[in-house]
Amino acid sequence: MRDDGTLDDRYAPSTPTADTEDGTSAERTTAASRLRAYARDLTGRRRAQVALATGVVCCLGLAAVAQVRDGTADAATRGGSPNSTELAQRAEQQGASRGLDRAAAPSSPAAASSAAATPADPDTTARARKAAPARPTKPAPVAGLDEDQMENAEAIVRTGREMGVPRRGLVIAVATAMQESNLYNVASGVLPESQDYPHQGVGWDHDSVGLFQQRSSSGWGPVGRLMDPEFATRQFLAALEQVPGWERMRLTDAAQAVQVSAYPEHYQQHEWRATRVVDAIMPSGR
């Protein structure tokens, strides 16, 4: 403030000017300069205000974006996506559940069977199963036979024992099958029907079929039945038992009495092998 009580004006002239033509010109020049300075100052202020406003708007925009993202994350969490804490809790619960399942399960098959056993079903206990007799193992092939031949010999011996035929009759039956079919269940090439049944080869001796080469046309039975080793064995042994004194005959004579072969002496050559096979299937004392 000056001494005359007026306010200081930064754009006012420092000294009063005379009211002359030259003074008026100088005053006008000074006024123009003040106006230009004022305009520049005003422009600077407006630019600062615009910059400040722009910065505020940018800050507000970033804050809004951050808020939207936070809200989206919260919504996703509320919508069912478990956070790390919830996942840890679920893992602990599942581990506990599995632990209970393992604890409830029996630790061994023996424990399981013991738990399932009841007084009304004693065979389910481990002790009862242990005491059960083991199934007999099948004898290995002997006397140069293969597995198929040995199985057919077993069928003959098993059927003869079921019929109560003495061991001698079983040896005669096995030796006869060795001569007639080489202990294979053979179908007939002359009788195609026989090939519809399980067989291990095809022969051409008329309509003879099976282990004993029995002929359906001679009254031994239906073709399908004769292709069954058990039925064929029963037919042979039943006929053998009808031969008087067969137990005391030579093997070849007893076999020939049933088979009526054109080569009656050929059965004898198989006696030692047949005896060995029967001994392997049915050891002495059984």
Side-chain angles (χ1 to χ4, degrees), residues 224-265:
R225 300 298 303 279
L226 293 175
M227 291 297 298
D228 176 16
E230 181 178 344
F231 179 83
T233 300
R234 288 183 179 275
Q235 294 296 86
F236 175 83
L237 291 176
L240 177 65
E241 290 184 318
Q242 298 300 316
V243 177
W246 67 268
E247 299 95 332
R248 297 179 298 275
M249 291 182 178
R250 290 192 310 154
L251 182 146
T252 192
D253 294 336
Q256 174 63 11
V258 176
Q259 297 296 105
V260 191
S261 171
Y263 307 97
E265 292 295 325

Side-chain angles (χ1 to χ4, degrees), residues 182-196:
N182 198 22
L183 264 177
Y184 289 116
N185 194 24
V186 180
S188 173
V190 179
L191 197 61
E193 177 189 354
S194 63
Q195 300 177 37
D196 295 336

